[in-house]
């Protein structure tokens, strides 16, 4: 009997801050699934992702 690895997508919850201050309005993009979200006033966001997905953070206010 052979078992394959089950790839499951999970919701991850994180908080974005800069110099200890929560940052609102950061776009968080999962490049693999092309899903995205925006951080809230407390810098918090959640997004669906699985192991090996690439997640990037973008904003017009901050440099890459």
């Amino acid at each position: 009997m052979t078992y394959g690895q089950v790839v499951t997508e999970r919701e991850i919850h994180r908080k974005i801050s800069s110099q200890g201050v929560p940052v609102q309005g950061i776009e968080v993009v999962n490049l693999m699934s092309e899903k995205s979200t925006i951080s809230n006033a407390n810098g918090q966001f959640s997004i669906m992702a699985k192991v090996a997905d690439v997640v990037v953070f973008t904003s017009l206010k901050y440099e890459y």
Side-chain angles (χ1 to χ4, degrees):
M1 189 173 243
T2 304
Y3 294 96
Q5 181 180 3
V6 176
V7 179
T8 56
E9 193 173 50
R10 300 172 72 183
E11 188 170 25
I12 57 171
H13 304 271
R14 297 291 184 264
K15 181 176 181 178
I16 301 170
S17 63
S18 176
Q19 299 178 356
V21 178
V23 181
Q24 178 180 13
I26 302 296
E27 183 177 16
V28 182
V29 181
N30 180 330
L31 294 180
M32 308 310 279
S33 67
E34 298 182 355
K35 295 178 184 175
S36 67
T37 189
I38 305 286
S39 62
N40 67 17
N42 297 318
Q44 299 168 328
F45 71 92
S46 61
I47 192 166
M48 298 299 288
K50 59 184 181 288
V51 174
D53 278 0
V54 177
V55 177
V56 296
F57 303 85
T58 63
S59 173
L60 296 176
K61 299 183 206 177
Y62 293 89
E63 291 183 26
Y64 181 73

Coordinates of all heavy atoms in Angstrom, one line a residue:
M1 N 0.8 -1.2 0.0 CA 0.0 0.0 0.0 C 0.9 1.2 0.0 O 1.9 1.3 0.7 CB -0.9 0.0 1.2 CG -1.9 1.0 1.2 SD -3.1 0.8 2.6 CE -4.5 0.4 1.7
T2 N 0.6 2.2 -0.8 CA 1.3 3.4 -0.9 C 0.5 4.6 -0.5 O -0.7 4.7 -0.8 CB 1.7 3.7 -2.4 OG1 2.4 2.5 -2.9 CG2 2.6 4.9 -2.5
Y3 N 1.1 5.5 0.3 CA 0.5 6.7 0.8 C 1.1 7.9 0.1 O 2.3 8.1 0.2 CB 0.6 6.8 2.3 CG -0.2 5.7 3.0 CD1 0.5 4.6 3.5 CD2 -1.5 5.8 3.3 CE1 -0.2 3.6 4.1 CE2 -2.2 4.8 3.9 CZ -1.6 3.7 4.3 OH -2.2 2.7 5.0
G4 N 0.3 8.8 -0.4 CA 0.8 10.0 -1.0 C 0.7 11.1 0.0 O -0.1 11.1 1.0
Q5 N 1.5 12.2 -0.2 CA 1.4 13.3 0.7 C 0.1 14.1 0.4 O -0.2 14.4 -0.8 CB 2.6 14.2 0.5 CG 2.6 15.4 1.4 CD 3.8 16.3 1.2 OE1 4.6 16.0 0.3 NE2 3.9 17.3 2.0
V6 N -0.7 14.4 1.4 CA -1.9 15.2 1.2 C -1.5 16.7 1.4 O -0.9 17.1 2.4 CB -2.9 14.8 2.3 CG1 -4.1 15.7 2.2 CG2 -3.3 13.3 2.2
V7 N -1.8 17.4 0.3 CA -1.5 18.8 0.3 C -2.7 19.6 0.7 O -3.7 19.6 0.0 CB -1.0 19.3 -1.0 CG1 -0.7 20.8 -1.0 CG2 0.2 18.5 -1.5
T8 N -2.7 20.1 1.9 CA -3.9 20.8 2.4 C -3.6 22.3 2.5 O -2.6 22.7 3.0 CB -4.4 20.3 3.8 OG1 -3.3 20.4 4.7 CG2 -4.8 18.8 3.6
E9 N -4.6 23.1 2.1 CA -4.5 24.5 2.2 C -5.1 24.9 3.6 O -6.1 24.3 4.1 CB -5.4 25.1 1.1 CG -5.2 26.6 0.9 CD -5.9 27.1 -0.3 OE1 -7.1 26.8 -0.4 OE2 -5.2 27.8 -1.1
R10 N -4.4 25.8 4.3 CA -4.8 26.2 5.6 C -4.9 27.8 5.6 O -4.2 28.4 4.9 CB -3.8 25.8 6.6 CG -3.6 24.3 6.7 CD -2.5 23.9 7.6 NE -2.9 24.1 9.0 CZ -2.1 23.9 10.0 NH1 -0.9 23.5 9.8 NH2 -2.5 24.1 11.2
E11 N -5.7 28.3 6.5 CA -5.8 29.7 6.7 C -4.7 30.1 7.7 O -4.6 29.6 8.8 CB -7.2 30.1 7.2 CG -7.4 31.6 7.3 CD -8.8 32.0 7.6 OE1 -9.5 31.2 8.2 OE2 -9.2 33.1 7.2
I12 N -3.9 31.1 7.3 CA -2.9 31.6 8.2 C -3.2 33.0 8.6 O -3.8 33.7 7.9 CB -1.4 31.6 7.5 CG1 -1.4 32.4 6.2 CG2 -1.0 30.1 7.3 CD1 0.0 32.6 5.7
H13 N -3.0 33.2 9.9 CA -3.3 34.5 10.5 C -2.0 35.2 11.0 O -1.2 34.5 11.7 CB -4.2 34.3 11.7 CG -5.5 33.6 11.4 ND1 -6.6 34.3 10.9 CD2 -5.8 32.3 11.4 CE1 -7.6 33.4 10.7 NE2 -7.1 32.2 11.0
R14 N -1.7 36.4 10.6 CA -0.5 37.1 11.0 C -0.8 38.5 11.2 O -1.9 39.0 10.9 CB 0.6 36.9 9.9 CG 1.1 35.5 9.7 CD 1.8 34.9 10.9 NE 2.3 33.6 10.7 CZ 1.7 32.5 11.1 NH1 0.6 32.5 11.7 NH2 2.3 31.3 10.9
K15 N 0.2 39.2 11.7 CA 0.2 40.7 11.9 C 1.4 41.3 11.3 O 2.5 40.9 11.5 CB 0.1 40.9 13.4 CG 0.0 42.4 13.8 CD -0.2 42.6 15.3 CE -0.4 44.0 15.6 NZ -0.6 44.2 17.1
I16 N 1.2 42.4 10.6 CA 2.2 43.2 10.0 C 2.5 44.4 10.8 O 1.5 45.2 11.2 CB 1.9 43.6 8.5 CG1 1.6 42.4 7.7 CG2 3.0 44.4 7.9 CD1 0.9 42.7 6.4
S17 N 3.8 44.7 11.1 CA 4.1 45.9 11.9 C 5.4 46.5 11.3 O 6.2 45.7 10.7 CB 4.2 45.6 13.4 OG 5.3 44.7 13.6
S18 N 5.6 47.7 11.5 CA 6.8 48.4 11.1 C 7.3 49.2 12.3 O 6.6 50.1 12.8 CB 6.6 49.3 9.9 OG 7.8 50.1 9.6
Q19 N 8.5 48.9 12.8 CA 9.0 49.5 14.0 C 8.1 49.4 15.2 O 7.9 50.4 15.9 CB 9.4 51.0 13.7 CG 10.5 51.1 12.6 CD 10.9 52.5 12.3 OE1 10.3 53.5 12.8 NE2 11.8 52.6 11.4
G20 N 7.4 48.3 15.3 CA 6.5 48.0 16.4 C 5.1 48.6 16.3 O 4.3 48.4 17.1
V21 N 4.8 49.3 15.2 CA 3.5 49.9 14.9 C 2.7 49.1 13.9 O 3.3 48.8 12.8 CB 3.6 51.3 14.5 CG1 2.3 52.0 14.2 CG2 4.4 52.1 15.5
P22 N 1.5 48.6 14.2 CA 0.7 47.9 13.2 C 0.5 48.7 11.9 O 0.4 49.9 11.9 CB -0.7 47.7 13.9 CG -0.4 47.9 15.3 CD 0.8 48.8 15.4
V23 N 0.6 48.0 10.8 CA 0.5 48.6 9.5 C -0.8 48.2 8.7 O -1.0 47.0 8.5 CB 1.7 48.3 8.6 CG1 1.6 49.1 7.3 CG2 3.0 48.7 9.3
Q24 N -1.6 49.2 8.4 CA -2.9 48.9 7.7 C -2.6 49.1 6.2 O -1.8 49.9 5.8 CB -3.9 49.9 8.2 CG -5.2 49.8 7.4 CD -6.3 50.8 8.0 OE1 -5.9 51.7 8.7 NE2 -7.5 50.6 7.6
G25 N -3.4 48.4 5.4 CA -3.4 48.6 3.9 C -2.3 47.9 3.2 O -2.1 48.2 2.0
I26 N -1.7 46.9 3.7 CA -0.7 46.1 3.0 C -1.4 45.0 2.3 O -2.2 44.3 2.8 CB 0.4 45.5 4.0 CG1 1.1 46.6 4.8 CG2 1.4 44.7 3.2 CD1 1.9 47.6 4.0
E27 N -1.1 44.9 1.0 CA -1.7 43.8 0.2 C -0.9 42.6 0.4 O 0.4 42.6 0.2 CB -1.8 44.2 -1.3 CG -2.5 43.1 -2.1 CD -2.7 43.4 -3.6 OE1 -2.0 44.4 -4.1 OE2 -3.5 42.8 -4.2
V28 N -1.5 41.5 0.7 CA -0.9 40.2 0.9 C -1.4 39.3 -0.2 O -2.6 39.1 -0.4 CB -1.2 39.6 2.3 CG1 -0.5 38.3 2.5 CG2 -0.9 40.6 3.4
V29 N -0.4 38.8 -1.0 CA -0.8 38.0 -2.2 C -0.1 36.6 -2.2 O 1.1 36.5 -2.0 CB -0.4 38.7 -3.5 CG1 -0.8 37.9 -4.7 CG2 -0.9 40.1 -3.6
N30 N -1.0 35.6 -2.3 CA -0.4 34.2 -2.5 C -0.2 34.0 -4.0 O -1.2 33.9 -4.8 CB -1.5 33.2 -2.0 CG -1.0 31.8 -2.1 OD1 -0.2 31.4 -3.0 ND2 -1.4 30.9 -1.2
L31 N 1.0 34.0 -4.4 CA 1.3 34.0 -5.9 C 0.9 32.6 -6.5 O 0.6 32.6 -7.7 CB 2.8 34.2 -6.1 CG 3.3 35.6 -5.7 CD1 4.8 35.6 -6.0 CD2 2.6 36.7 -6.5
M32 N 0.8 31.6 -5.7 CA 0.5 30.3 -6.3 C -1.0 30.2 -6.6 O -1.4 29.7 -7.6 CB 0.9 29.2 -5.4 CG 2.4 29.2 -4.9 SD 3.5 29.5 -6.3 CE 3.7 27.8 -6.8
S33 N -1.9 30.6 -5.7 CA -3.3 30.5 -5.8 C -3.9 31.8 -6.4 O -5.1 31.9 -6.7 CB -4.0 30.2 -4.5 OG -3.8 31.3 -3.6
E34 N -3.1 32.9 -6.4 CA -3.5 34.2 -6.8 C -4.6 34.8 -5.9 O -5.4 35.7 -6.4 CB -4.0 34.2 -8.3 CG -2.8 33.8 -9.2 CD -3.2 33.9 -10.7 OE1 -4.4 34.1 -11.0 OE2 -2.3 33.7 -11.5
K35 N -4.7 34.3 -4.7 CA -5.6 34.9 -3.7 C -4.9 36.1 -3.0 O -3.7 36.1 -2.9 CB -6.0 33.9 -2.7 CG -6.8 32.7 -3.3 CD -7.1 31.7 -2.2 CE -7.9 30.5 -2.8 NZ -8.1 29.5 -1.9
S36 N -5.7 37.1 -2.6 CA -5.1 38.2 -1.9 C -6.0 38.8 -0.9 O -7.2 38.5 -0.8 CB -4.7 39.3 -2.9 OG -5.9 39.9 -3.5
T37 N -5.4 39.6 0.0 CA -6.1 40.2 1.1 C -5.4 41.5 1.5 O -4.3 41.7 1.0 CB -6.3 39.3 2.3 OG1 -7.2 39.8 3.2 CG2 -5.0 39.0 3.0
I38 N -6.0 42.3 2.3 CA -5.4 43.5 2.8 C -5.4 43.5 4.3 O -6.3 43.1 5.0 CB -6.2 44.8 2.3 CG1 -6.4 44.7 0.8 CG2 -5.6 46.1 2.8 CD1 -5.2 45.1 0.0
S39 N -4.2 44.0 4.9 CA -4.1 44.1 6.4 C -5.1 45.1 6.9 O -5.3 46.2 6.3 CB -2.7 44.3 6.8 OG -2.3 45.6 6.3
N40 N -5.7 44.8 8.1 CA -6.7 45.8 8.7 C -6.0 46.8 9.5 O -4.7 46.9 9.5 CB -7.7 45.0 9.5 CG -7.1 44.3 10.7 OD1 -6.0 44.6 11.2 ND2 -7.9 43.3 11.2
A41 N -6.7 47.6 10.2 CA -6.2 48.7 11.0 C -5.3 48.3 12.1 O -4.4 49.0 12.6 CB -7.4 49.5 11.7
N42 N -5.4 47.0 12.5 CA -4.5 46.5 13.6 C -3.3 45.7 12.9 O -2.5 45.0 13.6 CB -5.2 45.5 14.5 CG -6.3 46.2 15.2 OD1 -6.1 47.3 15.7 ND2 -7.5 45.6 15.3
G43 N -3.2 45.8 11.6 CA -2.1 45.1 10.9 C -2.3 43.7 10.7 O -1.5 42.9 10.2
Q44 N -3.5 43.2 11.0 CA -3.8 41.8 10.9 C -4.4 41.4 9.6 O -5.1 42.2 8.9 CB -4.8 41.4 12.0 CG -4.3 41.6 13.4 CD -5.4 41.5 14.5 OE1 -6.5 41.8 14.2 NE2 -5.0 41.1 15.7
F45 N -4.1 40.1 9.2 CA -4.6 39.6 7.9 C -4.7 38.1 8.1 O -4.1 37.5 8.9 CB -3.7 40.0 6.7 CG -2.4 39.2 6.7 CD1 -2.3 38.0 6.0 CD2 -1.3 39.7 7.3 CE1 -1.1 37.3 6.0 CE2 -0.1 39.1 7.3 CZ 0.0 37.9 6.6
S46 N -5.5 37.5 7.2 CA -5.6 36.0 7.1 C -5.7 35.7 5.6 O -6.3 36.4 4.8 CB -6.7 35.4 7.9 OG -7.9 35.9 7.4
I47 N -5.0 34.6 5.2 CA -5.0 34.2 3.8 C -4.9 32.7 3.8 O -4.2 32.1 4.6 CB -3.9 34.9 3.0 CG1 -4.1 34.7 1.5 CG2 -2.5 34.5 3.5 CD1 -3.2 35.6 0.7
M48 N -5.5 32.1 2.8 CA -5.3 30.6 2.6 C -4.0 30.3 1.9 O -3.6 31.0 0.9 CB -6.5 30.1 1.7 CG -7.9 30.2 2.4 SD -8.0 29.4 3.9 CE -8.1 27.7 3.4
A49 N -3.3 29.3 2.4 CA -2.0 28.9 1.8 C -1.7 27.5 2.2 O -2.2 27.0 3.1 CB -0.9 29.9 2.2
K50 N -0.7 26.9 1.4 CA -0.3 25.6 1.7 C 1.3 25.6 1.7 O 1.9 26.6 1.2 CB -0.8 24.5 0.8 CG -0.6 24.7 -0.7 CD -1.3 23.6 -1.5 CE -1.0 23.7 -2.9 NZ -1.7 24.9 -3.6
V51 N 1.9 24.6 2.2 CA 3.3 24.5 2.2 C 3.9 24.7 0.8 O 3.3 24.2 -0.2 CB 3.8 23.1 2.8 CG1 5.3 22.9 2.7 CG2 3.3 22.9 4.2
A52 N 4.9 25.5 0.7 CA 5.6 25.8 -0.5 C 5.0 26.9 -1.4 O 5.5 27.3 -2.4 CB 5.9 24.6 -1.4
D53 N 3.8 27.4 -0.9 CA 3.3 28.6 -1.6 C 4.2 29.8 -1.3 O 4.9 29.9 -0.3 CB 1.9 28.9 -1.0 CG 0.8 28.1 -1.7 OD1 1.1 27.2 -2.5 OD2 -0.4 28.2 -1.3
V54 N 4.1 30.7 -2.3 CA 4.9 32.0 -2.1 C 3.9 33.1 -1.8 O 3.0 33.3 -2.6 CB 5.7 32.3 -3.4 CG1 6.4 33.6 -3.3 CG2 6.7 31.1 -3.7
V55 N 4.2 33.8 -0.7 CA 3.3 34.9 -0.3 C 4.1 36.2 -0.3 O 5.2 36.2 0.3 CB 2.7 34.6 1.1 CG1 1.9 35.8 1.6 CG2 1.9 33.4 1.1
V56 N 3.6 37.2 -0.9 CA 4.4 38.5 -1.0 C 3.5 39.6 -0.4 O 2.3 39.5 -0.4 CB 4.8 38.9 -2.4 CG1 5.8 37.9 -3.0 CG2 3.6 39.0 -3.3
F57 N 4.2 40.6 0.1 CA 3.5 41.8 0.7 C 3.9 43.0 -0.2 O 5.0 43.3 -0.5 CB 4.1 42.0 2.1 CG 3.9 40.8 3.0 CD1 4.8 39.7 3.0 CD2 2.7 40.7 3.8 CE1 4.6 38.6 3.8 CE2 2.5 39.5 4.6 CZ 3.5 38.5 4.6
T58 N 2.8 43.8 -0.5 CA 3.1 45.0 -1.4 C 2.3 46.2 -0.8 O 1.3 46.0 -0.2 CB 2.7 44.7 -2.8 OG1 1.2 44.5 -2.9 CG2 3.4 43.6 -3.5
S59 N 2.9 47.3 -1.1 CA 2.2 48.6 -0.7 C 2.9 49.7 -1.4 O 4.1 49.7 -1.7 CB 2.4 48.8 0.8 OG 1.9 50.1 1.2
L60 N 2.1 50.7 -1.7 CA 2.6 51.9 -2.4 C 3.4 52.8 -1.4 O 4.2 53.6 -1.7 CB 1.5 52.8 -3.0 CG 0.7 52.1 -4.1 CD1 -0.4 53.0 -4.6 CD2 1.7 51.8 -5.3
K61 N 3.2 52.6 -0.1 CA 3.8 53.3 1.0 C 5.2 52.9 1.3 O 6.0 53.6 1.9 CB 3.0 53.3 2.3 CG 1.6 53.8 2.2 CD 1.0 53.7 3.6 CE -0.5 53.6 3.6 NZ -1.0 53.5 4.9
Y62 N 5.5 51.6 1.0 CA 6.8 51.0 1.4 C 7.5 50.5 0.2 O 7.0 50.0 -0.7 CB 6.5 49.8 2.4 CG 6.0 50.3 3.7 CD1 4.6 50.4 3.9 CD2 6.8 50.7 4.8 CE1 4.1 50.9 5.1 CE2 6.3 51.1 6.0 CZ 4.9 51.2 6.2 OH 4.4 51.7 7.3
E63 N 8.9 50.5 0.3 CA 9.7 50.0 -0.7 C 9.8 48.5 -0.6 O 9.7 47.9 0.5 CB 11.2 50.5 -0.6 CG 11.2 52.0 -0.9 CD 12.7 52.5 -0.8 OE1 13.6 51.7 -1.0 OE2 12.8 53.7 -0.6
Y64 N 10.0 47.8 -1.7 CA 10.1 46.3 -1.8 C 11.4 45.9 -1.1 O 12.4 46.5 -1.2 CB 10.1 45.9 -3.2 CG 10.2 44.4 -3.4 CD1 9.1 43.6 -3.1 CD2 11.4 43.8 -3.8 CE1 9.2 42.2 -3.2 CE2 11.5 42.4 -4.0 CZ 10.4 41.6 -3.7 OH 10.5 40.2 -3.8

